Amino acid sequence: MPNPDVEREFFDLYDDVCGKLQRVYGTDDDAIVMGGEGILGLEAAIASTVGPGDEVLCISNGLYGDGFAEFVENYGGDPTIVRADDTDPLDQEGVTSALEAGDYELATMVHCETPTGALNDVEPILERLHEHDVLTVVDAVSSLGGTAVPTEHVDIALGASQKAFSSPPGLTTVAVSDRAWDVVEERDPNSLYTNLLPWRDTSERFPYTHLAANVAALDESLSMLFEEGLESVYERHESVAAHCRERASELGLECYPDPERSAPTVTALHLPGEAERVQRELAEDHDVVLATGLGDLADDVLRVGHMGYDAEIDKVDRAMDALATVLDR
């Protein structure tokens, strides 16, 4: 690998990756790649834009939506949470009421809440926020590369290498609008690792030694997406997701929250009080690794990740065949 601190080859590779990411994000906004797992992007977006006393609207129906509010508090901001239940869509009426009652500088939301497998319809909310001139941050970590992400009216769109890109974990991807850059420059955050600003111009040097092998892997992952064609990739994810849910229905399992709002990249199945046992038996007896829910849903939800490399019918069938055996037993 070229030395990421001094060799021009790496700078050229990084620029190519950023250009490919713009195509996946579907935007002309700057794309950057930071060294750190996807949560770095969530924190950096807040650390770079929120100051003491700033009013921030956090729109949530899950764990990661709530997490934005915690970051806002950590950096001195004042979050207002418009919270819907995990099983409900984002509260559009609540957002409208909050915008009429308050003066917000920033709003956050999550496109795909992986703990519940829900894909949120964020476009109507983004339009309302745009009408009120509110800066927007969207977590698309577990949807980017597996389904189209609506980036119109999004100022900071967040992704990561290890989800639908099927690259090694360790990189955060961010699309940043000119408007967002202006806010970050005005804030001038007192940080390095959680600061977007040093990444605005990396033509001569990076803020710190980049993860060269990870960037090369991400470049290959992106090339594979374009070789297949983005629309074909998205159709493959939709087809595999539908197949997974059909198999689940045959086993008498219900989606959490429901198939109509489930993401193309993950299926969450409702197994109240059984998820952790089933997860353990799948791993020990069938060498199939699935995830449970998080937080209060840890023992009630079992999640099948069919994204990127795993968005293939035969792999889903292997997982569901094993699940059928465990449930029968």
Side-chain angles (χ1 to χ4, degrees), residues 29 88 122:
D29 292 342
D88 292 331
V122 298

Side-chain angles (χ1 to χ4, degrees), residues 34-66:
M34 304 172 71
E37 191 271 338
I39 291 295
L40 170 63
L42 276 67
E43 181 168 3
I46 301 304
S48 300
T49 58
V50 174
D54 285 353
E55 298 286 338
V56 180
L57 187 62
C58 298
I59 305 157
S60 174
N61 62 349
L63 186 144
Y64 287 103
D66 292 348

Side-chain angles (χ1 to χ4, degrees), residues 9-28:
E9 289 173 82
F10 181 80
F11 287 79
D12 293 341
L13 171 65
Y14 176 85
D15 289 343
D16 286 345
V17 168
C18 292
K20 291 175 181 177
L21 282 169
Q22 286 178 306
R23 292 172 60 188
V24 179
Y25 275 110
T27 183
D28 292 328

Side-chain angles (χ1 to χ4, degrees), residues 54-58 68-73 76-81 104:
D54 285 353
E55 298 286 338
V56 180
L57 187 62
C58 298
F68 269 124
E70 295 178 13
F71 282 134
V72 170
E73 289 181 340
D78 184 10
T80 295
I81 304 177
Y104 298 98

Side-chain angles (χ1 to χ4, degrees), residues 21 137 157 179 231 309:
L21 282 169
V137 175
R179 184 175 173 228
E231 290 305 318
Y309 173 79

Side-chain angles (χ1 to χ4, degrees), residues 1 46 80 141 174 184 186 259 269 281-282 300 315 318 326:
M1 292 302 302
I46 301 304
T80 295
V141 167
V174 192
V184 177
E186 182 181 347
L269 302 173
E281 292 185 16
L282 283 169
D300 295 333
K315 293 174 183 174
R318 181 188 169 201
V326 170

Side-chain angles (χ1 to χ4, degrees), residues 70-247:
E70 295 178 13
F71 282 134
V72 170
E73 289 181 340
N74 290 343
Y75 288 93
D78 184 10
T80 295
I81 304 177
V82 175
R83 183 65 158 88
D85 189 77
D86 289 357
T87 57
D88 292 331
L90 296 175
D91 185 356
Q92 296 188 30
E93 292 184 3
V95 171
T96 299
S97 298
L99 290 172
E100 291 173 351
D103 184 16
Y104 298 98
E105 301 177 39
L106 182 76
T108 65
M109 70 198 79
V110 177
H111 188 218
C112 176
E113 273 282 2
T114 32
T116 59
L119 188 73
N120 287 317
D121 182 12
V122 298
E123 288 185 271
I125 295 175
L126 288 168
E127 290 174 3
R128 296 182 194 182
L129 294 168
H130 177 70
E131 291 169 0
H132 285 77
D133 199 32
V134 179
L135 202 75
T136 54
V137 175
V138 173
D139 168 4
V141 167
S142 56
S143 55
L144 185 70
T147 188
V149 177
T151 52
E152 186 179 12
H153 307 318
V154 177
D155 293 293
I156 299 178
L158 304 166
S161 55
Q162 80 275 16
K163 298 292 186 181
F165 291 141
S166 294
S167 263
L171 298 178
T172 286
T173 69
V174 192
V176 189
S177 72
D178 289 341
R179 184 175 173 228
W181 280 131
D182 291 341
V183 171
V184 177
E185 286 189 342
E186 182 181 347
R187 290 287 178 216
D188 193 19
N190 185 24
S191 171
L192 178 63
Y193 269 86
T194 57
N195 187 352
L196 297 177
L197 194 55
W199 295 91
R200 186 169 194 180
D201 182 4
T202 54
S203 58
E204 298 298 329
R205 65 187 299 271
F206 294 96
Y208 43 80
T209 300
H210 218 316
L211 284 67
N214 293 62
V215 173
L218 180 57
D219 180 59
E220 181 62 21
S221 295
L222 292 166
S223 294
M224 291 170 68
L225 286 187
F226 296 129
E227 183 177 345
E228 182 177 350
L230 281 179
E231 290 305 318
S232 295
V233 170
Y234 299 157
E235 290 172 5
R236 172 166 56 86
H237 280 77
E238 292 282 357
S239 175
V240 170
H243 180 73
C244 181
R245 288 152 200 166
E246 181 179 348
R247 290 291 311 269

